[in-house]
Amino acid sequence: MDGTKTWWQSKTVWGGLVAVAAALAKASGAEIPLVDQGAITDAVVNLTGAVGGLLAIYGRLSARTSIRNE
């Protein structure tokens, strides 16, 4: 593997979390088809990427110091 990433950037982790959530939902009476689980995983990954980008922009705009170019 090349490079590293945080846990929340991993589709495998999110897929596992969605699978666990689907199993819990099924245990409580709801059913989520496998196709929908993949779509949910993709949506969650896209949402976390968007939130991460917004947090980065907010962090830079609210920073009290400038970035030094050395």
Side-chain angles (χ1 to χ4, degrees):
M1 283 188 193
D2 293 335
T4 60
K5 57 184 167 185
T6 59
W7 70 268
W8 54 269
Q9 291 175 311
S10 171
K11 280 187 121 177
T12 303
V13 171
W14 285 108
L17 291 172
V18 169
V20 168
L24 292 173
K26 186 173 182 178
S28 67
E31 253 192 76
I32 301 173
L34 191 57
V35 173
D36 290 342
Q37 289 181 32
I40 292 168
T41 300
D42 288 342
V44 168
V45 169
N46 291 335
L47 181 62
T48 57
V51 169
L54 289 172
L55 284 174
I57 292 168
Y58 171 76
R60 185 63 258 162
L61 293 175
S62 66
R64 299 186 189 279
T65 58
S66 62
I67 297 174
R68 205 176 342 176
N69 197 9
E70 292 182 27

